[in-house]
Amino acid sequence: MDNLFMILFLISLLALPVFAVRSVIAFVKKDGMKGKKMLKFSGISFAAVIVTTIGFAATADTVETTKKEEKKVETVAKVKEEEKEKPEEKATREAKEAEEKALAAQKAKEEAEAKEKEKAKETEKQVEYFKTNTQPFINELTSSYDKGWNDVWQPTFEAISAGNTDIYKAYENMKALKNYYRNLSTNMNNIPVEGLSKKHQKSLKGAMNDLSYAAVSRQMAAEKSMKMFDEGNYSPSHMDKIKSDIASADSRMLSAVVVITSVKAELGIE
């Protein structure tokens, strides 16, 4: 491309004075037609000189730019080569990275162990609280729940079946049992759980709700038995209602026991 521009430039540069001189001679000889023609060729030659000069300059800039880019690439490659890690430097770096990784792993292990110890300490604290406060409360409630049934309900109906008591005594026993379970149901919501986790607090309060419902169901069974003795209504349908209350109480009691047992297992209490 450079050679082409150079050839065109030289041809145009040589033709320009020739056409210029010939146009002057033609005008002197008063040959206007030829003079104009030579003048036109002179203009074309001049324009060709200008165009080839510009093209040559542009080509030269491009070449210069290309050379600069090539030099830049060579410089970058040289820098990278100079920066290339040496074997001893690589070994040092890898040893340092391995050491840092080992230290990080050791730190993570120590933090995990610290968390486990803290968790164990907190669990131990909760276990002590449960044994000292929660468990005695639960034991007292469940014991009272069974005591009223064993001491009043069962002996009363056994005596009625054997003909060893009258309906008046049976009625009074059911009345006392009704009040007993009503009072018991209100005390079940006072279970001490403040020293336990929120999860266990929620679970045990739910269990107490079940125990309270169980006590209320036995209270309702006692009330229906009072009505049975008072009105002499021993119909099967009325007995089914009493049995339904008893079954409901047993179901809720079992549900509460399952939750309490689960909490104790999570705390590691046998």
Side-chain angles (χ1 to χ4, degrees):
M1 183 63 74
D2 292 344
N3 293 334
L4 178 61
F5 279 125
M6 181 60 70
I7 293 170
L8 292 174
F9 174 77
L10 292 175
I11 293 174
S12 300
L13 187 63
L14 293 173
L16 176 62
V18 173
F19 288 127
V21 171
R22 293 185 66 179
S23 65
V24 171
I25 294 173
F27 282 117
V28 170
K29 291 181 177 182
K30 295 182 181 182
D31 188 351
M33 182 66 69
K34 185 177 181 179
K36 290 180 180 180
K37 186 176 181 180
M38 291 300 105
L39 185 61
K40 181 178 180 180
F41 286 148
S42 296
I44 293 173
S45 298
F46 180 75
V49 170
I50 298 299
V51 171
T52 53
T53 300
I54 294 173
F56 184 77
T59 302
D61 289 341
T62 301
V63 171
E64 184 64 24
T65 300
T66 302
K67 289 181 179 179
K68 288 181 179 180
E69 290 296 329
E70 291 176 351
K71 185 177 181 180
K72 183 178 179 181
V73 171
E74 290 176 358
T75 302
V76 172
K78 184 178 180 181
V79 170
K80 287 185 177 180
E81 181 64 25
E82 291 175 353
E83 292 177 349
K84 188 175 181 181
E85 199 172 35
K86 297 178 180 179
E88 59 272 17
E89 292 175 342
K90 181 179 180 182
T92 302
R93 177 181 58 78
E94 290 178 346
K96 184 178 180 181
E97 290 176 351
E99 182 181 1
E100 291 175 348
K101 186 176 180 180
L103 289 174
Q106 180 64 26
K107 183 179 179 181
K109 181 181 178 181
E110 291 174 353
E111 290 177 350
E113 290 176 350
K115 288 182 179 179
E116 285 298 322
K117 288 181 180 179
E118 185 64 26
K119 183 179 179 181
K121 185 178 179 180
E122 180 61 28
T123 300
E124 183 179 351
K125 184 178 178 181
Q126 291 185 42
V127 168
E128 182 62 26
Y129 180 90
F130 185 91
K131 290 181 176 180
T132 304
N133 301 280
T134 311
Q135 187 66 67
F137 182 87
I138 293 174
N139 291 342
E140 182 180 354
L141 282 180
T142 54
S143 177
S144 297
Y145 181 83
D146 292 332
K147 181 176 176 58
W149 202 254
N150 295 334
D151 292 352
V152 180
W153 178 277
Q154 291 180 352
T156 298
F157 277 87
E158 288 174 358
I160 287 290
S161 297
N164 296 329
T165 189
D166 55 45
I167 59 174
Y168 301 101
K169 179 63 176 177
Y171 178 88
E172 290 300 324
N173 287 347
M174 292 300 103
K175 183 177 180 180
L177 193 62
K178 176 194 73 172
N179 294 331
Y180 178 86
Y181 279 112
R182 180 175 59 195
N183 294 332
L184 185 62
S185 67
T186 60
N187 294 329
M188 292 183 175
N189 294 322
N190 299 321
I191 182 172
V193 292
E194 291 77 10
L196 303 176
S197 67
K198 291 183 178 180
K199 174 186 175 183
H200 291 153
Q201 288 183 30
K202 183 178 180 181
S203 296
L204 290 174
K205 286 180 179 180
M208 289 303 102
N209 285 335
D210 283 335
L211 281 175
S212 179
Y213 188 93
V216 170
S217 294
R218 284 192 170 182
Q219 173 192 334
M220 293 172 62
E223 289 176 349
K224 289 182 176 65
S225 297
M226 287 173 60
K227 185 176 181 180
M228 179 182 68
F229 293 128
D230 184 44
E231 298 177 354
N233 183 6
Y234 300 97
S235 65
S237 62
H238 192 74
M239 292 299 296
D240 281 344
K241 292 177 181 178
I242 296 175
K243 291 179 181 179
S244 177
D245 288 335
I246 296 172
S248 179
D250 292 342
S251 176
R252 285 303 183 98
M253 182 63 178
L254 179 61
S255 177
V257 170
V258 169
V259 172
I260 294 170
T261 302
S262 176
V263 170
K264 292 173 67 176
E266 290 177 3
L267 290 173
I269 302 173
E270 296 181 357

